[in-house]
Amino acid sequence: MRFFSDNAAAVCPQVLDALARVNVVDTAYDGDQWSQSLDARFSELFETQVRALWVPTGTAANSLALAAMCPPYGGVICHAMAHINVDECGAPGFYTHGATLLAGEGEGAKLTPQAIADAVRHIRPDVHQVQPHAVSITNATEYGLSYTPSEVGAIGELARSHGWGLHMDGARFANAVAHLGCAPADVTWRAGVDALSFGFVKNGGMSAEALIFFKTELAEATLMRRKRAGLLFSKGRYLAAQLLAMLDGDLWLANARAANAGARLLAEAAPERLVYPVEANEVFIRLSADEAASLRALGFDFYDWGVGEARLVISWDQSEDAIRPLAEAIARLC
Amino acid sequence: MRFFSDNAAAVCPQVLDALARVNVVDTAYDGDQWSQSLDARFSELFETQVRALWVPTGTAANSLALAAMCPPYGGVICHAMAHINVDECGAPGFYTHGATLLAGEGEGAKLTPQAIADAVRHIRPDVHQVQPHAVSITNATEYGLSYTPSEVGAIGELARSHGWGLHMDGARFANAVAHLGCAPADVTWRAGVDALSFGFVKNGGMSAEALIFFKTELAEATLMRRKRAGLLFSKGRYLAAQLLAMLDGDLWLANARAANAGARLLAEAAPERLVYPVEANEVFIRLSADEAASLRALGFDFYDWGVGEARLVISWDQSEDAIRPLAEAIARLC
Amino acid sequence: MRFFSDNAAAVCPQVLDALARVNVVDTAYDGDQWSQSLDARFSELFETQVRALWVPTGTAANSLALAAMCPPYGGVICHAMAHINVDECGAPGFYTHGATLLAGEGEGAKLTPQAIADAVRHIRPDVHQVQPHAVSITNATEYGLSYTPSEVGAIGELARSHGWGLHMDGARFANAVAHLGCAPADVTWRAGVDALSFGFVKNGGMSAEALIFFKTELAEATLMRRKRAGLLFSKGRYLAAQLLAMLDGDLWLANARAANAGARLLAEAAPERLVYPVEANEVFIRLSADEAASLRALGFDFYDWGVGEARLVISWDQSEDAIRPLAEAIARLC
Amino acid sequence: MRFFSDNAAAVCPQVLDALARVNVVDTAYDGDQWSQSLDARFSELFETQVRALWVPTGTAANSLALAAMCPPYGGVICHAMAHINVDECGAPGFYTHGATLLAGEGEGAKLTPQAIADAVRHIRPDVHQVQPHAVSITNATEYGLSYTPSEVGAIGELARSHGWGLHMDGARFANAVAHLGCAPADVTWRAGVDALSFGFVKNGGMSAEALIFFKTELAEATLMRRKRAGLLFSKGRYLAAQLLAMLDGDLWLANARAANAGARLLAEAAPERLVYPVEANEVFIRLSADEAASLRALGFDFYDWGVGEARLVISWDQSEDAIRPLAEAIARLC
């Protein structure tokens, strides 16, 4: 049974159905009615006027957002463990034309205003050093922690005071919102976020993420960059349809809640093993090599995460019944 | 009725079905069995060992191919009307980090060895001038002409003699092969082509093109570049499945033949109006503004193409019955 | 005797002397008193507030100016024969991160509003095509023609009406101003120029050009780009000193007048051979291969320029006595 | 009295004299006899065939070297305190088109094989993570330590075993060699170095550094990149002349020895205050704020370097008599 990643999960039936529904002739690129409706639909969700662009991957969404905020000679502050820093093969450097990621520290891949200040403390404001132009945070973080609206707000205030942009990598934004129980607006633009990579693929989508600009003037140049990167699909309606299907009836929230619930079930099985509190759909537990081997012998599939730790990820489509055997196996370990 | 572009067509039922078939849990990115089978499947088709990568758009395929062949300080010879030169928002400049497109001339967007030589005649072999490193040709061309194997071979020989790479933009490769009636190998690697952007989206696909490397050593760096450009889908199997569905039973050829037949039907309706011979699924005809208006009044939708000309494009899913009314309307014009 | 290029000439004694004068300890980079005085000194010359940066080469000046005006996904309109298009190894593509040069036509490498409009006539205002963001003209042109203030003004007006920046490559700006007899302001900012590459090296300098921003807000980012390109010399005072020495007592004008006078002397020797009027320090004449050989046999060194033409360039340090023998030899040819 | 940096020093009289000596007409760019002699002259110095290019700054030399070794999607391992990482405004990112600097740790800005291994320990060999392609070390380091031939050799062996390039930033290479007393070859190519930024500006030069390729096949593309970066001076002989003047009679070594001796004089004045051993021309001492203030009150000018420390740099032109007052003032402090 798979617990290694939510990005290996199957696609929601509603998403597949949506593909069939838009399988008619329409205007190419993003001129079709579905693509054209995204701004309005996401504006409604976020309770403010936004620009919403489909893009096929989270890496593309992140990189386009950073390129909109940071010039080639600038820097973006992020956590050392941020996906943009360690798992995107330098994509931000490609899209920004060589901007520098300025790495900060913090438990559970979470930045704080203090951590951000520390990360740039030694930067003199002169032309010899890369100057920060933006901050990027991941919510939920790479270790499954969720930033609360007030935590984001504190970073947003710091960013605004320096004139920096604020980007949120929301590969698991749905899981964070489901955990926080807040309005999507509360943890984004109301807290100072300028652009959000709103992930759907890990949450039941197939090949569409949404890049949301709360600072809407960033969208125009991004449309050019999206085309220039070969990301403007000629049959864009099949991306738009995926996003719309996920928003319909708050499917995105339902899927995220299901995954989060599964993660909590695992967490409750072994609270003393938890490396971090479980605030999304990922569970990091202390696990010896022998223990890991014994779980794998039972058919459970997951990644080691550093020495003596393991990462268990729950996907949108895993029922409690499917998860309980692992929970019980972990509980039995000690 | 739409004759404005094949990229607005619907997706083949076989392609949609394939998406449903792979809708199971599997390894992420391109580690799944379908993605892993592409090299073998395309090697069979091309009768030689190739590397085959899925990418979502033709622009991405073209740009990745050029980046594999041309350093940032180099140049790529292409036709002035080439899609890479006029319709990709500078994507080749993005992916190659600033390489220069060196534009040549030729009827119907078709290059010849002579046209290529002319395009670079004035380039001194010194560091002050951008030196050519590759040639890119489009087959079928942007005006619906097909390069024959021997035409490609002549260019291939020229390229080889200079140590240049040879790329083929095959957005409508299927239509060219259907027209030529040759083996895919004949008009590609046997004629000196190093990399092919093999288009499927205009031919019934949804969001998957194949980037084929006949010069297989170019693939390794391209895998890094594909990831770095945000083009490595986590659920890659849904791209692989599209390509495999198009290859199954030579669906790609059947679709292209259907579209080509439709184009011929139009061509035969008004041979005296043809700007170029019809060798694929595009028909360029002389058409006055009044004539264009009268056709549009009948419900036919198409693009003007320069002054006094119009472009009519047939899609894979347009039956002869659907096309005949336009053919008849054109025939009635004079 | 050399007539092949003014960039091979020796350095003015006043420039060498200036190097010795600043050969004392001072603040590094551009913190020294001489570098710090450039804004004021050039503002005086141009009768308006400018920002003036030293850079070592014209290619660097041009590229930094274009990068300040044009985003990576944009285009710069220039003449097909412009130095930036044919003789800088793609430097604009490097500094702008892949922007496209959009080539226009015109006699003597001179653009007009009409030529500019023609160059971009076919660009649709959509994301598929590179959109123009700036115009670059060379004064004096690559064929030794000078744009008058009103000619520049007409282009400036066109640029302003489209929101495009206007750059002037002034590798031989001094020669143009000497020919025109106008104030430097008249042919630059008063005519709509936003940035000027003000050349000194061809005019007696050693290794310093001035990049002048009339649109002063473009300077800040350029300071970062200059450093990032490895162009911020630690001993910048030796560049500043060169520029100041050239401005002192209008040495730059005196040198340019001398070179222009030499060119006129040649032009008068064979008015019927002139390909273009002589409006700077370059003379283009019709010359058969035999004639060219006979001149070379007499010890005159120059470049062929296309078939049946030759380019003769006069440097600041060539006296009329040194030029007269060539003038006479040309006159004797027929 | 200035102890803040060697890059603020005056230029050697021999270098200025050399400028006057080449102040004659010659071929432009690097076609002149002096530029053409550099390969041979540096090959002699290094006892092997090298390619030697003049470039105006150390930042340019470093960046060109890295661009020759590392593709845009790759990484370069360097010390966290390396000049390329903290003081070049992201120039390596510009020249390499976005490659990533992978920072390692070590006392005194010095890397070891172990530190290098640690820096890349967590990099999986897959397309998601930036893969190392080169190592860059600074000799003497940013804290005035010199790598010995065997220390470099150990790193060279590690690099070779992984197929990585090895670059040496030798902004103070002369000081390192003067300290080590070894042949320049011993601490470079014999120890596995592929490219060296050989600094002259801090050591009495004006505006010329040498980029030395021991792996000579890296030079060709670099010539294109140098031009494309606007670094190919039209009057290149004035750069070549500086380098040749510094090599003549081993002036480079004499200058470096003088500066090193001055640094030792300071070090001996307060051995107990030394943060690092003095192995070049920089002295880092522990100094309270009050002590620093008292020294400054005496007219000594230097930089604080972190809290409670100061950096004192000796230039080639500072005599022992000029340094002794500072040495005595420091000795008197306690």
Side-chain angles (χ1 to χ4, degrees):
Chain A
M1 281 136 295
R2 130 207 66 130
F3 294 91
F4 55 86
S5 182
D6 39 4
N7 70 13
V11 169
C12 253
Q14 295 94 322
V15 167
L16 275 184
D17 289 352
L19 298 181
R21 267 203 309 280
V22 299
N23 197 29
V24 294
V25 173
D26 204 313
T27 309
Y29 306 108
D30 59 358
D32 63 278
Q33 55 173 293
W34 299 279
S35 298
Q36 291 292 308
S37 75
L38 293 180
D39 283 355
R41 190 63 191 82
F42 279 96
S43 293
E44 188 187 342
L45 178 68
F46 282 102
E47 306 171 55
T48 190
Q49 183 62 46
V50 306
R51 295 293 304 273
L53 284 67
W54 44 250
V55 287
T57 69
T59 295
N62 291 339
S63 293
L64 284 170
L66 299 182
M69 292 178 172
C70 184
Y73 49 82
V76 176
I77 305 162
C78 67
H79 195 281
M81 303 308 299
H83 198 265
I84 60 171
N85 197 38
V86 294
D87 273 312
E88 300 188 351
C89 196
F94 181 46
Y95 277 82
T96 61
H97 304 288
T100 303
L101 297 182
L102 304 163
E105 299 295 337
E107 278 298 291
K110 207 169 183 178
L111 287 177
T112 60
Q114 187 59 49
I116 291 169
D118 287 348
V120 298
R121 165 144 306 135
H122 296 290
I123 297 180
R124 302 179 310 267
D126 65 33
V127 301
H128 300 272
Q129 302 203 298
V130 171
Q131 302 299 314
H133 284 254
V135 177
S136 179
I137 58 178
T138 310
N139 200 14
T141 76
E142 286 76 7
Y143 286 103
L145 299 180
S146 288
Y147 286 89
T148 64
S150 75
E151 287 172 335
V152 176
I155 292 173
E157 215 164 294
L158 178 70
R160 196 165 35 247
S161 76
H162 284 91
W164 300 335
L166 180 54
H167 167 248
M168 181 176 282
D169 176 354
R172 296 187 182 92
F173 181 71
N175 301 286
V177 170
H179 169 78
L180 295 166
C182 67
D186 291 342
V187 74
T188 55
W189 65 273
R190 284 195 190 119
V193 172
D194 297 311
L196 168 70
S197 302
F198 191 158
F200 290 93
V201 174
K202 291 182 199 297
N203 197 27
M206 187 177 88
S207 59
E209 312 281 58
L211 173 52
I212 309 293
F213 285 110
F214 304 107
K215 191 171 180 177
T216 53
E217 64 267 34
L218 299 179
E220 281 312 303
T222 303
L223 292 172
M224 303 298 292
R225 292 186 196 271
R226 180 175 66 170
K227 169 63 195 174
R228 193 175 184 237
L231 297 170
L232 183 64
F233 288 48
S234 59
K235 298 184 177 173
R237 58 196 180 279
Y238 300 86
L239 295 184
Q242 294 180 51
L243 300 180
L244 295 169
M246 291 294 288
L247 294 190
D248 268 4
D250 283 338
L251 176 60
W252 65 285
L253 261 183
N255 281 0
R257 282 178 186 137
N260 287 5
R264 276 198 310 275
L265 197 154
L266 286 185
E268 287 156 10
E272 74 291 352
R273 289 183 177 272
L274 292 181
V275 183
Y276 298 108
V278 171
E279 303 178 351
N281 64 325
E282 297 188 295
V283 183
F284 293 82
I285 60 171
R286 276 174 287 273
L287 202 67
S288 70
D290 281 355
E291 292 168 335
S294 75
L295 291 178
R296 287 191 174 113
L298 295 169
F300 301 109
D301 201 358
F302 54 87
Y303 286 129
D304 295 325
W305 215 258
V307 177
E309 300 183 4
R311 185 184 80 158
L312 310 168
V313 190
I314 308 301
S315 302
W316 69 274
D317 61 347
Q318 290 178 294
S319 69
E320 298 208 1
D321 283 353
I323 296 162
R324 197 161 296 117
L326 175 57
E328 292 168 359
I330 294 172
R332 274 195 307 270
L333 279 177
C334 21
Chain B
M1 283 137 295
R2 128 206 68 128
F3 294 91
F4 54 87
S5 182
D6 39 3
N7 70 12
V11 169
C12 253
Q14 296 93 322
V15 168
L16 275 184
D17 289 352
L19 298 181
R21 268 203 310 279
V22 300
N23 197 29
V24 294
V25 173
D26 204 314
T27 310
Y29 306 109
D30 58 358
D32 63 277
Q33 55 172 293
W34 299 280
S35 299
Q36 291 292 309
S37 75
L38 293 180
D39 284 354
R41 191 64 191 81
F42 279 97
S43 293
E44 187 187 342
L45 179 67
F46 282 102
E47 306 170 56
T48 189
Q49 184 61 46
V50 307
R51 295 293 303 273
L53 285 66
W54 43 251
V55 287
T57 69
T59 294
N62 291 339
S63 294
L64 285 170
L66 298 183
M69 292 178 172
C70 183
Y73 49 83
V76 176
I77 305 161
C78 67
H79 194 281
M81 302 309 298
H83 198 265
I84 59 171
N85 197 39
V86 294
D87 273 313
E88 299 188 351
C89 196
F94 181 46
Y95 276 84
T96 62
H97 303 289
T100 303
L101 297 182
L102 304 164
E105 299 295 337
E107 279 298 290
K110 206 168 184 179
L111 287 177
T112 59
Q114 187 59 48
I116 291 169
D118 287 348
V120 298
R121 166 145 305 138
H122 296 290
I123 297 180
R124 303 180 308 267
D126 66 32
V127 302
H128 299 272
Q129 302 204 296
V130 171
Q131 303 299 315
H133 285 255
V135 176
S136 179
I137 58 177
T138 310
N139 201 13
T141 76
E142 286 75 7
Y143 285 103
L145 298 180
S146 288
Y147 286 89
T148 65
S150 76
E151 287 171 334
V152 176
I155 292 173
E157 214 164 296
L158 179 69
R160 196 166 34 248
S161 76
H162 284 90
W164 301 334
L166 180 54
H167 166 248
M168 181 176 283
D169 176 354
R172 294 188 182 91
F173 181 70
N175 301 287
V177 170
H179 169 78
L180 296 165
C182 66
D186 291 342
V187 75
T188 56
W189 66 272
R190 285 196 190 118
V193 173
D194 298 309
L196 167 70
S197 302
F198 191 159
F200 290 94
V201 174
K202 291 183 199 297
N203 196 26
M206 187 177 88
S207 58
E209 312 282 56
L211 173 51
I212 308 293
F213 285 110
F214 303 107
K215 192 170 179 178
T216 54
E217 65 267 33
L218 298 179
E220 280 313 301
T222 303
L223 292 172
M224 304 299 291
R225 292 185 196 272
R226 180 175 67 170
K227 169 61 195 175
R228 192 177 184 235
L231 297 171
L232 184 63
F233 289 47
S234 60
K235 297 183 178 174
R237 58 195 180 278
Y238 298 87
L239 296 183
Q242 294 180 50
L243 300 180
L244 295 169
M246 291 294 287
L247 295 189
D248 268 5
D250 284 337
L251 176 60
W252 66 284
L253 261 182
N255 281 0
R257 282 179 186 137
N260 287 6
R264 276 197 310 274
L265 198 152
L266 286 184
E268 287 156 11
E272 74 291 353
R273 289 184 177 271
L274 292 181
V275 184
Y276 299 109
V278 171
E279 304 178 351
N281 64 325
E282 297 188 296
V283 182
F284 293 82
I285 58 171
R286 275 174 288 274
L287 203 66
S288 71
D290 282 354
E291 293 169 336
S294 75
L295 291 178
R296 288 191 174 112
L298 295 169
F300 301 110
D301 200 359
F302 54 87
Y303 285 128
D304 294 326
W305 214 258
V307 176
E309 300 184 2
R311 186 185 79 159
L312 310 168
V313 190
I314 308 301
S315 302
W316 68 274
D317 60 345
Q318 290 179 293
S319 68
E320 298 209 358
D321 282 354
I323 296 163
R324 198 161 294 117
L326 175 57
E328 292 168 359
I330 293 173
R332 273 196 307 271
L333 279 176
C334 20
Chain C
M1 280 138 294
R2 130 209 64 130
F3 294 91
F4 54 86
S5 182
D6 39 2
N7 71 12
V11 170
C12 253
Q14 294 94 322
V15 167
L16 275 184
D17 289 352
L19 299 181
R21 267 202 311 280
V22 301
N23 196 30
V24 292
V25 174
D26 205 313
T27 310
Y29 304 109
D30 59 358
D32 64 278
Q33 54 173 293
W34 298 280
S35 299
Q36 291 291 309
S37 75
L38 292 180
D39 283 355
R41 190 64 191 80
F42 278 96
S43 293
E44 189 186 341
L45 178 68
F46 282 102
E47 307 171 56
T48 189
Q49 184 62 46
V50 306
R51 294 294 303 272
L53 284 67
W54 43 251
V55 287
T57 69
T59 295
N62 290 339
S63 294
L64 284 170
L66 298 183
M69 292 178 172
C70 183
Y73 49 83
V76 176
I77 305 161
C78 66
H79 194 281
M81 303 308 300
H83 198 266
I84 60 171
N85 197 38
V86 294
D87 273 312
E88 299 190 349
C89 195
F94 180 46
Y95 277 84
T96 62
H97 303 289
T100 302
L101 298 181
L102 304 164
E105 299 296 336
E107 278 299 289
K110 209 169 181 176
L111 287 177
T112 59
Q114 187 59 48
I116 292 169
D118 287 348
V120 298
R121 168 146 304 137
H122 296 290
I123 297 181
R124 304 179 309 267
D126 66 32
V127 303
H128 299 271
Q129 302 204 296
V130 171
Q131 303 298 314
H133 284 255
V135 177
S136 178
I137 58 177
T138 310
N139 202 11
T141 76
E142 286 75 8
Y143 285 103
L145 298 180
S146 288
Y147 285 89
T148 63
S150 76
E151 287 172 335
V152 176
I155 292 173
E157 216 164 294
L158 178 70
R160 195 165 34 247
S161 77
H162 284 91
W164 301 335
L166 179 55
H167 166 248
M168 182 176 281
D169 175 353
R172 294 187 182 92
F173 181 71
N175 301 286
V177 171
H179 169 78
L180 295 166
C182 66
D186 291 342
V187 74
T188 54
W189 66 272
R190 284 196 189 118
V193 173
D194 297 311
L196 168 70
S197 302
F198 191 158
F200 290 95
V201 173
K202 291 183 199 298
N203 195 28
M206 188 176 87
S207 59
E209 312 280 57
L211 173 52
I212 309 293
F213 285 111
F214 303 107
K215 192 171 180 177
T216 54
E217 64 268 34
L218 298 179
E220 281 312 303
T222 303
L223 292 172
M224 303 298 292
R225 291 186 197 270
R226 180 175 68 170
K227 169 62 194 176
R228 192 174 184 237
L231 296 170
L232 184 63
F233 289 48
S234 58
K235 298 183 177 173
R237 58 196 181 278
Y238 298 87
L239 295 184
Q242 295 180 51
L243 300 181
L244 295 169
M246 291 295 287
L247 294 189
D248 268 3
D250 283 338
L251 176 59
W252 66 285
L253 261 182
N255 281 0
R257 282 178 185 136
N260 287 5
R264 277 198 309 275
L265 198 153
L266 286 184
E268 288 156 9
E272 74 290 352
R273 290 183 177 271
L274 293 181
V275 183
Y276 299 109
V278 171
E279 302 178 353
N281 64 326
E282 297 188 296
V283 183
F284 293 82
I285 59 172
R286 277 175 286 274
L287 203 66
S288 71
D290 283 354
E291 291 168 336
S294 75
L295 291 178
R296 288 191 174 112
L298 295 169
F300 300 110
D301 202 358
F302 55 88
Y303 286 128
D304 295 326
W305 215 258
V307 175
E309 300 184 2
R311 185 185 80 159
L312 310 168
V313 190
I314 308 299
S315 301
W316 67 275
D317 61 344
Q318 290 179 293
S319 68
E320 299 207 359
D321 284 355
I323 295 162
R324 197 160 296 117
L326 175 56
E328 293 169 359
I330 293 173
R332 273 196 306 271
L333 280 176
C334 25
Chain D
M1 280 139 295
R2 129 209 66 130
F3 293 93
F4 55 85
S5 182
D6 39 3
N7 71 11
V11 169
C12 253
Q14 295 93 322
V15 167
L16 274 184
D17 289 352
L19 299 181
R21 266 203 310 281
V22 300
N23 197 30
V24 294
V25 174
D26 205 314
T27 309
Y29 305 110
D30 59 358
D32 63 278
Q33 54 173 293
W34 299 280
S35 299
Q36 291 291 309
S37 75
L38 292 180
D39 283 355
R41 191 62 192 82
F42 278 96
S43 293
E44 188 187 341
L45 179 68
F46 282 102
E47 307 171 53
T48 189
Q49 185 61 46
V50 306
R51 293 294 303 272
L53 285 67
W54 43 250
V55 286
T57 69
T59 295
N62 291 339
S63 294
L64 284 170
L66 298 183
M69 293 178 172
C70 184
Y73 49 82
V76 176
I77 305 162
C78 67
H79 195 281
M81 303 307 299
H83 197 266
I84 59 172
N85 197 39
V86 294
D87 273 312
E88 299 189 350
C89 196
F94 180 46
Y95 276 83
T96 61
H97 302 289
T100 303
L101 297 181
L102 304 164
E105 299 295 337
E107 278 298 290
K110 208 168 182 177
L111 288 177
T112 59
Q114 187 59 49
I116 292 169
D118 287 348
V120 298
R121 166 145 307 138
H122 296 290
I123 297 180
R124 304 179 309 267
D126 66 32
V127 303
H128 299 271
Q129 302 204 297
V130 171
Q131 302 299 315
H133 285 255
V135 177
S136 178
I137 58 177
T138 310
N139 201 13
T141 75
E142 286 75 8
Y143 285 104
L145 299 180
S146 289
Y147 285 90
T148 64
S150 76
E151 287 172 334
V152 176
I155 292 172
E157 215 164 294
L158 178 70
R160 196 166 32 247
S161 76
H162 284 89
W164 300 335
L166 180 54
H167 166 249
M168 182 175 282
D169 176 353
R172 294 187 182 92
F173 180 70
N175 302 286
V177 171
H179 169 78
L180 295 166
C182 68
D186 291 342
V187 73
T188 55
W189 65 272
R190 284 195 191 119
V193 172
D194 297 310
L196 167 70
S197 302
F198 191 158
F200 290 94
V201 173
K202 291 183 199 297
N203 196 27
M206 189 175 87
S207 58
E209 313 281 57
L211 174 52
I212 309 293
F213 285 111
F214 303 107
K215 192 171 179 178
T216 53
E217 65 268 33
L218 298 179
E220 280 314 302
T222 304
L223 292 172
M224 304 298 292
R225 292 186 196 270
R226 181 175 67 168
K227 170 62 195 175
R228 192 175 184 238
L231 297 170
L232 184 63
F233 288 48
S234 59
K235 298 183 178 173
R237 57 195 182 280
Y238 299 87
L239 295 184
Q242 295 179 50
L243 300 180
L244 294 170
M246 292 294 288
L247 293 190
D248 268 4
D250 283 338
L251 176 60
W252 66 285
L253 261 183
N255 281 1
R257 282 178 186 138
N260 287 6
R264 278 198 308 275
L265 197 153
L266 286 185
E268 287 156 9
E272 75 291 353
R273 289 183 177 272
L274 293 181
V275 183
Y276 298 109
V278 171
E279 302 177 354
N281 64 326
E282 296 188 297
V283 183
F284 293 82
I285 58 172
R286 277 175 285 275
L287 201 68
S288 71
D290 282 353
E291 292 168 337
S294 75
L295 291 178
R296 287 189 174 114
L298 295 169
F300 301 110
D301 201 358
F302 55 87
Y303 286 128
D304 296 327
W305 215 257
V307 177
E309 300 184 3
R311 185 185 81 158
L312 310 168
V313 190
I314 308 300
S315 301
W316 68 274
D317 62 345
Q318 290 179 294
S319 68
E320 297 208 0
D321 283 355
I323 296 163
R324 199 161 295 117
L326 175 57
E328 292 169 358
I330 294 173
R332 272 196 308 270
L333 279 176
C334 24

